PDB file of all heavy atoms in Angstrom:
ATOM      1  N   HIS A 140     168.896  84.536  49.206  1.00  0.00           N
ATOM      2  CA  HIS A 140     168.449  84.928  50.545  1.00  0.00           C
ATOM      3  C   HIS A 140     168.626  83.808  51.570  1.00  0.00           C
ATOM      4  O   HIS A 140     168.530  84.045  52.771  1.00  0.00           O
ATOM      5  CB  HIS A 140     166.994  85.397  50.492  1.00  0.00           C
ATOM      6  CG  HIS A 140     166.747  86.444  49.443  1.00  0.00           C
ATOM      7  ND1 HIS A 140     166.696  87.788  49.722  1.00  0.00           N
ATOM      8  CD2 HIS A 140     166.601  86.347  48.097  1.00  0.00           C
ATOM      9  CE1 HIS A 140     166.503  88.462  48.593  1.00  0.00           C
ATOM     10  NE2 HIS A 140     166.440  87.608  47.592  1.00  0.00           N
ATOM     11  N   GLY A 141     168.862  82.591  51.068  1.00  0.00           N
ATOM     12  CA  GLY A 141     169.118  81.460  51.955  1.00  0.00           C
ATOM     13  C   GLY A 141     170.353  81.653  52.812  1.00  0.00           C
ATOM     14  O   GLY A 141     170.523  80.980  53.835  1.00  0.00           O
ATOM     15  N   ALA A 142     171.211  82.587  52.442  1.00  0.00           N
ATOM     16  CA  ALA A 142     172.419  82.877  53.210  1.00  0.00           C
ATOM     17  C   ALA A 142     172.093  83.292  54.642  1.00  0.00           C
ATOM     18  O   ALA A 142     172.927  83.191  55.529  1.00  0.00           O
ATOM     19  CB  ALA A 142     173.208  83.992  52.525  1.00  0.00           C
ATOM     20  N   PHE A 143     170.850  83.767  54.849  1.00  0.00           N
ATOM     21  CA  PHE A 143     170.436  84.221  56.178  1.00  0.00           C
ATOM     22  C   PHE A 143     169.740  83.115  56.967  1.00  0.00           C
ATOM     23  O   PHE A 143     169.232  83.354  58.060  1.00  0.00           O
ATOM     24  CB  PHE A 143     169.489  85.425  56.053  1.00  0.00           C
ATOM     25  CG  PHE A 143     170.194  86.652  55.554  1.00  0.00           C
ATOM     26  CD1 PHE A 143     170.519  86.787  54.209  1.00  0.00           C
ATOM     27  CD2 PHE A 143     170.569  87.653  56.433  1.00  0.00           C
ATOM     28  CE1 PHE A 143     171.198  87.905  53.757  1.00  0.00           C
ATOM     29  CE2 PHE A 143     171.251  88.774  55.981  1.00  0.00           C
ATOM     30  CZ  PHE A 143     171.574  88.892  54.645  1.00  0.00           C
ATOM     31  N   GLY A 144     169.679  81.920  56.374  1.00  0.00           N
ATOM     32  CA  GLY A 144     168.901  80.874  57.025  1.00  0.00           C
ATOM     33  C   GLY A 144     167.420  81.080  56.794  1.00  0.00           C
ATOM     34  O   GLY A 144     166.592  80.798  57.649  1.00  0.00           O
ATOM     35  N   ALA A 145     167.081  81.620  55.617  1.00  0.00           N
ATOM     36  CA  ALA A 145     165.686  81.759  55.200  1.00  0.00           C
ATOM     37  C   ALA A 145     165.448  80.745  54.080  1.00  0.00           C
ATOM     38  O   ALA A 145     166.348  80.501  53.284  1.00  0.00           O
ATOM     39  CB  ALA A 145     165.424  83.168  54.683  1.00  0.00           C
ATOM     40  N   LEU A 146     164.263  80.170  54.036  1.00  0.00           N
ATOM     41  CA  LEU A 146     163.941  79.251  52.946  1.00  0.00           C
ATOM     42  C   LEU A 146     163.448  80.094  51.776  1.00  0.00           C
ATOM     43  O   LEU A 146     162.333  80.620  51.807  1.00  0.00           O
ATOM     44  CB  LEU A 146     162.869  78.245  53.389  1.00  0.00           C
ATOM     45  CG  LEU A 146     162.407  77.268  52.301  1.00  0.00           C
ATOM     46  CD1 LEU A 146     163.566  76.432  51.782  1.00  0.00           C
ATOM     47  CD2 LEU A 146     161.284  76.379  52.820  1.00  0.00           C
ATOM     48  N   ALA A 147     164.300  80.267  50.786  1.00  0.00           N
ATOM     49  CA  ALA A 147     164.027  81.223  49.718  1.00  0.00           C
ATOM     50  C   ALA A 147     164.202  80.545  48.374  1.00  0.00           C
ATOM     51  O   ALA A 147     165.234  79.924  48.123  1.00  0.00           O
ATOM     52  CB  ALA A 147     164.976  82.407  49.839  1.00  0.00           C
ATOM     53  N   PHE A 148     163.187  80.659  47.535  1.00  0.00           N
ATOM     54  CA  PHE A 148     163.301  79.990  46.243  1.00  0.00           C
ATOM     55  C   PHE A 148     162.542  80.725  45.150  1.00  0.00           C
ATOM     56  O   PHE A 148     161.632  81.500  45.419  1.00  0.00           O
ATOM     57  CB  PHE A 148     162.860  78.525  46.346  1.00  0.00           C
ATOM     58  CG  PHE A 148     161.523  78.309  46.993  1.00  0.00           C
ATOM     59  CD1 PHE A 148     160.376  78.250  46.230  1.00  0.00           C
ATOM     60  CD2 PHE A 148     161.416  78.178  48.373  1.00  0.00           C
ATOM     61  CE1 PHE A 148     159.142  78.050  46.828  1.00  0.00           C
ATOM     62  CE2 PHE A 148     160.180  77.978  48.982  1.00  0.00           C
ATOM     63  CZ  PHE A 148     159.037  77.918  48.206  1.00  0.00           C
ATOM     64  N   GLY A 149     162.929  80.438  43.924  1.00  0.00           N
ATOM     65  CA  GLY A 149     162.334  81.070  42.763  1.00  0.00           C
ATOM     66  C   GLY A 149     161.050  80.363  42.369  1.00  0.00           C
ATOM     67  O   GLY A 149     160.910  79.158  42.560  1.00  0.00           O
ATOM     68  N   ILE A 150     160.111  81.118  41.821  1.00  0.00           N
ATOM     69  CA  ILE A 150     158.842  80.554  41.375  1.00  0.00           C
ATOM     70  C   ILE A 150     158.526  81.105  39.992  1.00  0.00           C
ATOM     71  O   ILE A 150     159.107  82.096  39.553  1.00  0.00           O
ATOM     72  CB  ILE A 150     157.694  80.902  42.362  1.00  0.00           C
ATOM     73  CG1 ILE A 150     157.582  82.427  42.566  1.00  0.00           C
ATOM     74  CG2 ILE A 150     157.908  80.185  43.702  1.00  0.00           C
ATOM     75  CD1 ILE A 150     156.443  82.838  43.498  1.00  0.00           C
ATOM     76  N   GLY A 151     157.597  80.454  39.298  1.00  0.00           N
ATOM     77  CA  GLY A 151     157.169  80.938  37.990  1.00  0.00           C
ATOM     78  C   GLY A 151     156.072  81.982  38.138  1.00  0.00           C
ATOM     79  O   GLY A 151     155.611  82.270  39.251  1.00  0.00           O
ATOM     80  N   THR A 152     155.662  82.526  37.007  1.00  0.00           N
ATOM     81  CA  THR A 152     154.686  83.616  37.050  1.00  0.00           C
ATOM     82  C   THR A 152     153.318  83.156  37.546  1.00  0.00           C
ATOM     83  O   THR A 152     152.632  83.896  38.251  1.00  0.00           O
ATOM     84  CB  THR A 152     154.589  84.272  35.665  1.00  0.00           C
ATOM     85  OG1 THR A 152     155.871  84.835  35.362  1.00  0.00           O
ATOM     86  CG2 THR A 152     153.548  85.365  35.624  1.00  0.00           C
ATOM     87  N   SER A 153     152.899  81.928  37.210  1.00  0.00           N
ATOM     88  CA  SER A 153     151.615  81.441  37.747  1.00  0.00           C
ATOM     89  C   SER A 153     151.665  81.457  39.259  1.00  0.00           C
ATOM     90  O   SER A 153     150.707  81.856  39.928  1.00  0.00           O
ATOM     91  CB  SER A 153     151.324  80.010  37.287  1.00  0.00           C
ATOM     92  OG  SER A 153     151.134  79.968  35.904  1.00  0.00           O
ATOM     93  N   GLU A 154     152.800  81.022  39.799  1.00  0.00           N
ATOM     94  CA  GLU A 154     152.933  80.992  41.254  1.00  0.00           C
ATOM     95  C   GLU A 154     153.047  82.399  41.846  1.00  0.00           C
ATOM     96  O   GLU A 154     152.620  82.627  42.973  1.00  0.00           O
ATOM     97  CB  GLU A 154     154.125  80.126  41.662  1.00  0.00           C
ATOM     98  CG  GLU A 154     153.852  78.650  41.396  1.00  0.00           C
ATOM     99  CD  GLU A 154     155.033  77.753  41.726  1.00  0.00           C
ATOM    100  OE1 GLU A 154     156.183  78.134  41.434  1.00  0.00           O
ATOM    101  OE2 GLU A 154     154.806  76.668  42.263  1.00  0.00           O
ATOM    102  N   VAL A 155     153.622  83.321  41.090  1.00  0.00           N
ATOM    103  CA  VAL A 155     153.620  84.713  41.552  1.00  0.00           C
ATOM    104  C   VAL A 155     152.171  85.140  41.768  1.00  0.00           C
ATOM    105  O   VAL A 155     151.823  85.750  42.791  1.00  0.00           O
ATOM    106  CB  VAL A 155     154.329  85.643  40.534  1.00  0.00           C
ATOM    107  CG1 VAL A 155     154.101  87.119  40.886  1.00  0.00           C
ATOM    108  CG2 VAL A 155     155.824  85.341  40.466  1.00  0.00           C
ATOM    109  N   GLY A 156     151.311  84.753  40.843  1.00  0.00           N
ATOM    110  CA  GLY A 156     149.878  85.038  40.985  1.00  0.00           C
ATOM    111  C   GLY A 156     149.298  84.368  42.222  1.00  0.00           C
ATOM    112  O   GLY A 156     148.522  84.972  42.964  1.00  0.00           O
ATOM    113  N   HIS A 157     149.707  83.110  42.450  1.00  0.00           N
ATOM    114  CA  HIS A 157     149.211  82.396  43.634  1.00  0.00           C
ATOM    115  C   HIS A 157     149.569  83.150  44.908  1.00  0.00           C
ATOM    116  O   HIS A 157     148.745  83.312  45.803  1.00  0.00           O
ATOM    117  CB  HIS A 157     149.832  80.990  43.727  1.00  0.00           C
ATOM    118  CG  HIS A 157     149.411  80.068  42.623  1.00  0.00           C
ATOM    119  ND1 HIS A 157     149.800  78.753  42.572  1.00  0.00           N
ATOM    120  CD2 HIS A 157     148.638  80.264  41.530  1.00  0.00           C
ATOM    121  CE1 HIS A 157     149.281  78.178  41.488  1.00  0.00           C
ATOM    122  NE2 HIS A 157     148.591  79.085  40.843  1.00  0.00           N
ATOM    123  N   VAL A 158     150.821  83.584  44.987  1.00  0.00           N
ATOM    124  CA  VAL A 158     151.274  84.240  46.216  1.00  0.00           C
ATOM    125  C   VAL A 158     150.635  85.628  46.348  1.00  0.00           C
ATOM    126  O   VAL A 158     150.229  86.023  47.443  1.00  0.00           O
ATOM    127  CB  VAL A 158     152.818  84.326  46.275  1.00  0.00           C
ATOM    128  CG1 VAL A 158     153.271  85.003  47.557  1.00  0.00           C
ATOM    129  CG2 VAL A 158     153.424  82.934  46.180  1.00  0.00           C
ATOM    130  N   LEU A 159     150.526  86.337  45.243  1.00  0.00           N
ATOM    131  CA  LEU A 159     149.864  87.641  45.325  1.00  0.00           C
ATOM    132  C   LEU A 159     148.457  87.466  45.888  1.00  0.00           C
ATOM    133  O   LEU A 159     148.026  88.202  46.767  1.00  0.00           O
ATOM    134  CB  LEU A 159     149.791  88.303  43.939  1.00  0.00           C
ATOM    135  CG  LEU A 159     151.102  88.843  43.355  1.00  0.00           C
ATOM    136  CD1 LEU A 159     150.877  89.329  41.916  1.00  0.00           C
ATOM    137  CD2 LEU A 159     151.680  89.976  44.193  1.00  0.00           C
ATOM    138  N   ALA A 160     147.751  86.459  45.388  1.00  0.00           N
ATOM    139  CA  ALA A 160     146.346  86.304  45.768  1.00  0.00           C
ATOM    140  C   ALA A 160     146.163  85.662  47.136  1.00  0.00           C
ATOM    141  O   ALA A 160     145.204  85.973  47.838  1.00  0.00           O
ATOM    142  CB  ALA A 160     145.614  85.486  44.710  1.00  0.00           C
ATOM    143  N   SER A 161     147.066  84.764  47.520  1.00  0.00           N
ATOM    144  CA  SER A 161     146.806  83.979  48.740  1.00  0.00           C
ATOM    145  C   SER A 161     147.925  84.042  49.778  1.00  0.00           C
ATOM    146  O   SER A 161     147.776  83.537  50.877  1.00  0.00           O
ATOM    147  CB  SER A 161     146.585  82.514  48.361  1.00  0.00           C
ATOM    148  OG  SER A 161     147.813  81.929  47.960  1.00  0.00           O
ATOM    149  N   GLN A 162     149.066  84.623  49.412  1.00  0.00           N
ATOM    150  CA  GLN A 162     150.269  84.652  50.263  1.00  0.00           C
ATOM    151  C   GLN A 162     150.747  83.231  50.578  1.00  0.00           C
ATOM    152  O   GLN A 162     151.513  83.013  51.504  1.00  0.00           O
ATOM    153  CB  GLN A 162     149.992  85.459  51.554  1.00  0.00           C
ATOM    154  CG  GLN A 162     151.219  86.004  52.252  1.00  0.00           C
ATOM    155  CD  GLN A 162     152.030  86.962  51.382  1.00  0.00           C
ATOM    156  OE1 GLN A 162     151.512  87.628  50.487  1.00  0.00           O
ATOM    157  NE2 GLN A 162     153.323  87.029  51.615  1.00  0.00           N
ATOM    158  N   CYS A 163     150.305  82.266  49.759  1.00  0.00           N
ATOM    159  CA  CYS A 163     150.693  80.873  49.976  1.00  0.00           C
ATOM    160  C   CYS A 163     151.103  80.220  48.664  1.00  0.00           C
ATOM    161  O   CYS A 163     150.811  80.716  47.576  1.00  0.00           O
ATOM    162  CB  CYS A 163     149.528  80.079  50.553  1.00  0.00           C
ATOM    163  SG  CYS A 163     149.184  80.495  52.259  1.00  0.00           S
ATOM    164  N   LEU A 164     151.763  79.094  48.811  1.00  0.00           N
ATOM    165  CA  LEU A 164     152.177  78.281  47.667  1.00  0.00           C
ATOM    166  C   LEU A 164     151.834  76.833  47.939  1.00  0.00           C
ATOM    167  O   LEU A 164     151.867  76.385  49.086  1.00  0.00           O
ATOM    168  CB  LEU A 164     153.699  78.356  47.521  1.00  0.00           C
ATOM    169  CG  LEU A 164     154.285  79.441  46.668  1.00  0.00           C
ATOM    170  CD1 LEU A 164     155.799  79.304  46.690  1.00  0.00           C
ATOM    171  CD2 LEU A 164     153.794  79.346  45.223  1.00  0.00           C
ATOM    172  N   LEU A 165     151.563  76.098  46.877  1.00  0.00           N
ATOM    173  CA  LEU A 165     151.396  74.650  46.981  1.00  0.00           C
ATOM    174  C   LEU A 165     152.775  74.041  46.778  1.00  0.00           C
ATOM    175  O   LEU A 165     153.401  74.243  45.743  1.00  0.00           O
ATOM    176  CB  LEU A 165     150.421  74.168  45.899  1.00  0.00           C
ATOM    177  CG  LEU A 165     148.995  74.653  46.117  1.00  0.00           C
ATOM    178  CD1 LEU A 165     148.167  74.490  44.844  1.00  0.00           C
ATOM    179  CD2 LEU A 165     148.357  73.897  47.268  1.00  0.00           C
ATOM    180  N   GLN A 166     153.249  73.322  47.769  1.00  0.00           N
ATOM    181  CA  GLN A 166     154.621  72.815  47.718  1.00  0.00           C
ATOM    182  C   GLN A 166     154.698  71.391  48.230  1.00  0.00           C
ATOM    183  O   GLN A 166     154.042  71.049  49.215  1.00  0.00           O
ATOM    184  CB  GLN A 166     155.518  73.661  48.631  1.00  0.00           C
ATOM    185  CG  GLN A 166     155.917  74.984  48.038  1.00  0.00           C
ATOM    186  CD  GLN A 166     157.004  74.834  47.005  1.00  0.00           C
ATOM    187  OE1 GLN A 166     158.061  74.291  47.279  1.00  0.00           O
ATOM    188  NE2 GLN A 166     156.730  75.282  45.794  1.00  0.00           N
ATOM    189  N   SER A 167     155.544  70.597  47.590  1.00  0.00           N
ATOM    190  CA  SER A 167     155.852  69.302  48.187  1.00  0.00           C
ATOM    191  C   SER A 167     157.219  69.439  48.857  1.00  0.00           C
ATOM    192  O   SER A 167     158.062  70.219  48.420  1.00  0.00           O
ATOM    193  CB  SER A 167     155.875  68.211  47.114  1.00  0.00           C
ATOM    194  OG  SER A 167     156.772  68.583  46.108  1.00  0.00           O
ATOM    195  N   ARG A 168     157.407  68.676  49.917  1.00  0.00           N
ATOM    196  CA  ARG A 168     158.623  68.817  50.708  1.00  0.00           C
ATOM    197  C   ARG A 168     159.841  68.389  49.892  1.00  0.00           C
ATOM    198  O   ARG A 168     159.809  67.366  49.210  1.00  0.00           O
ATOM    199  CB  ARG A 168     158.521  67.967  51.963  1.00  0.00           C
ATOM    200  CG  ARG A 168     159.315  68.489  53.131  1.00  0.00           C
ATOM    201  CD  ARG A 168     159.020  67.638  54.355  1.00  0.00           C
ATOM    202  NE  ARG A 168     159.771  66.405  54.276  1.00  0.00           N
ATOM    203  CZ  ARG A 168     160.985  66.245  54.806  1.00  0.00           C
ATOM    204  NH1 ARG A 168     161.555  67.238  55.451  1.00  0.00           N
ATOM    205  NH2 ARG A 168     161.615  65.117  54.696  1.00  0.00           N
TER     206      ARG A 168
END
Side-chain angles (χ1 to χ4, degrees):
Chain A
H140 308 262
F143 291 77
L146 177 60
F148 51 92
I150 56 178
T152 297
S153 294
E154 290 177 320
V155 170
H157 294 184
V158 180
L159 288 174
S161 72
Q162 202 60 27
C163 288
L164 270 180
L165 292 164
Q166 282 283 304
S167 55
R168 208 174 79 92

